[in-house]
Amino acid sequence: MATERALPNLWHATATAAPHTAPLADDLTVEVAIVGGGFTGLSAALHLAEAGVRAAVIEARMIGFGGSGRNVGLVNAGMWVKPDDLVATLGAAAGNRLLVELGDGPSLVYDLVAKYGIECEAVRNGTLHMSLGTEGLKEIREREAQWKKRGAPVEVLPAEKAQALSGAEGFTGALLDRRAGTIQPLAYARGLARAALAAGAKIFTDTPLLSANRQGNHWRLQTGRGTVTARHVILATNAYGGLVADVPWKEYRQELTILPYFQFATNPLPDKVAARILPERQGAWDTGLVMTSFRMDKQNRLIFGSIGRLDAMAAGTHRAFAGRSVRKLFPYIGDVRFEHWWDGRIGMTTNNLPVMHVLADNVVSVSGYNGRGIAPGTVFGRALARHVTGDTSAIPLAETPITPDPWRMLKSVFYHAGAQAKHFIDKRF
């Protein structure tokens, strides 16, 4: 995996300040230890603290360092997999339950934002899944039909309406999902952390987990300068579980293919231009094989993203592609420059669905959000909190064994190299 680099991430530049945290420097005993300070871990900590359960989060870097601070910020309902395919994979009972819980996921996110007054540029006017060509239009019509028979408020828009709501040219239609919306993801993560701390949870940053040992009915987690002893452990590291090479319970990473994703953010656009791009402030992504996304922020910046990593070899290609794409999508945009850029990792599973594992006695994890981190992370964090406090049916996934993907490293390389090659030639003429 490429070394993490400091890039000018827009979310870091505009998020509300993080609550005060520090490295663990003592020996602490709690009921539940949570490894990972992203959406899942922070949601678990908040819901445990709300229930009066002593919980502590240990985070190797800082709150929202991983995907929670690099996310596009689309609060989507459900998973990327079509509803009927999800049910076919998991079975009717389990599949429909997961669809209901994740379909309601945005409501949980926005309810927490309102309850705790989280300042995160929250807008709930839906999202737009933009269709490319006739195949893309067929795809979103299938999604519409499958969600509508489950009562979801979704609607396929014709090309003219899609252009009016997106401000973008070149699409054959769009699927509007009114359950969804957008947020500033790092600000949301920091807000969850602040709420969890206020409720009584402990959060320690710059505190990597180095080892874990079973002592009677408890786990003793060794960090750099302290220990956490807990009856239960929630592992909530997902695609960033490799920050510490010798982290315990690392086998689950063998089933995650890492999909890199980058974003570029423009300077704040003039009001007249910004008013034409996503005027209702939905977030958007397309049906392309090498997907792209675009959205606006509160300061009228356009944020454009696609598959790829901004390493030294590829950054120039992806930047040029982003510039060409923005000007082709929005030919009226005028002179713009990219002021912020960053990338992140998406944890992909072989069936594009999340997985739940019991990694050892009283050690549980959910991972593999496949690009849907915000609402599922929040939902599964709450479910994990309920699970470790006795509700063993709380997680809307069946426990499965870890199934390593022998092709995952090759697939990660293919995604990165393939996206770079496509971006080199795409929209050049």
Side-chain angles (χ1 to χ4, degrees), residues 128 130 160-171 273 275-279 294 326 328-332:
L128 295 166
M130 312 298 296
E160 298 79 9
K161 182 64 173 177
Q163 182 171 346
L165 274 188
S166 67
E169 297 186 0
F171 294 104
V273 174
R276 296 179 63 181
I277 300 175
L278 296 163
F294 57 93
V326 163
K328 185 169 184 178
L329 289 169
F330 313 103
Y332 51 85

Side-chain angles (χ1 to χ4, degrees), residues 78-83 85-86 89 99 143 147 351-353:
M79 296 301 297
W80 175 77
V81 174
K82 294 175 184 175
D85 293 339
L86 186 151
T89 299
L99 286 171
R143 292 182 182 275
W147 275 119
N351 64 3
N352 297 313
L353 294 175

Side-chain angles (χ1 to χ4, degrees), residues 73-76 106 110 123-127 177 179-183 283:
L74 305 185
V75 188
N76 281 309
Y110 289 104
V123 178
R124 194 179 187 185
N125 284 337
T127 53
D177 187 339
R179 298 169 295 178
T182 61
I183 60 171

